[in-house]
Amino acid sequence: MEIVTTDWSKHREALRDIRRRVFIEEQGVPEELEWDDDDLRATHFIVYDGKRPVACARLLNNGHFGRMAVLREHRQQHWGSRLLRAIEQHARSHLPVKQIKANVQTHAFGFYHRNGFTANPEFFMDAGIPHLPMHKAVGSPHQAATLTPKIDSERYQLNDLLSISSWLQIALQGGPVRVILLIEDLTHSLWSDTTLLNAISHYLRASRQRQVEIIVRAEHSSQSSHPLIKLQQRLSSRINVKVNSTIKHSQVLLESWGWLTLMDENKGFASMSDTARTRHYVERAKTLLQQATPLKEGRRLMI
């Protein structure tokens, strides 16, 4: 395999084919949002497997890169990391910039962090997908602790549903031993948020040893159709749901280092590295679990 540095005019069809398959067909990005005038100005990178183009990215003169895509069948072969190194080397040799930066899909945070990037915790939506800015000093192997599970001790105030669910998506990439959800109100938008549900599913599927415990305050009339309960039904051996009417507020506990507490529909406080407080919360949750009862079979949850 090799990485070719090129421009849009020379390899337009190959670049369009990779990005169409990954972004438009696989991720559902609207076609009108995928193509822009930056393609004409950017430096492009293409990975070739023999004569077949299998991955790509682009870099602008201001150090901002993006549109990084690897065809599904060629993932887990480290081509994303090699593309990042090629981008950084080109910026170091040809551009008057001190940093390379990108708006990164939150589910890819771990990949960029492992490659030396630091996050800016300002979450936003782009083409219906949660993103956040990340950057790296050219030539530097180091990254700051920001949003790093088990390391970042900052106490975050999260002021909208996007920030809450995106924060949790990143935290789950830290691979906690167990996740406990205390749910005071199952109708809260967070518990049916696609970003969170996908993050929980990915967290569980990454290791057979992982478990999610869910305690709801009361049974709900629409249990069978609720997205979180549907996920539990698909992964019933890995997700356990119980009822305890003494729950007073909603929390997500990332054993044994992190927590998130919901204050209302669009506000929460959270930490990715708070061992003492997390231990206290988990011990309290264990008591709630011991006192909880299973969902009654054949009945629907009623809040």
Side-chain angles (χ1 to χ4, degrees), residues 109 119 121 144-156 167 257-258 270-274:
F109 167 88
T146 307
L147 286 177
T148 306
K150 308 178 194 178
I151 297 176
D152 182 7
S153 59
E154 177 77 16
R155 186 181 183 189
Y156 287 89
W167 188 96
W257 42 263
S271 175
M272 290 191 179
S273 180
D274 187 353

Side-chain angles (χ1 to χ4, degrees), residues 1-6 15 18-19 22-23 43-48 53-59 65-71 74-75 77-92 100 111-112 115 117 136:
M1 287 202 180
E2 65 173 335
I3 298 178
V4 173
T5 303
T6 185
L15 292 163
I18 296 169
R19 285 163 50 180
V22 172
F23 296 128
T43 298
H44 294 267
F45 304 83
I46 303 181
V47 174
Y48 279 91
V54 299
C56 68
R58 74 180 187 188
L59 172 67
F65 69 94
R67 299 302 200 271
M68 194 162 81
V70 180
L71 296 182
H74 289 270
R75 293 170 195 167
Q77 298 177 24
H78 307 294
W79 282 107
S81 296
R82 295 175 195 178
L83 268 172
L84 288 179
R85 289 196 292 271
I87 290 168
E88 183 177 2
Q89 183 57 49
H90 184 89
R92 189 175 188 177
I100 53 174
F111 163 73
Y112 284 94
N115 281 279
F117 284 76
K136 182 184 181 187

Side-chain angles (χ1 to χ4, degrees), residues 128-139:
I129 302 171
H131 284 69
L132 79 164
M134 298 190 75
H135 64 272
K136 182 184 181 187
V138 174

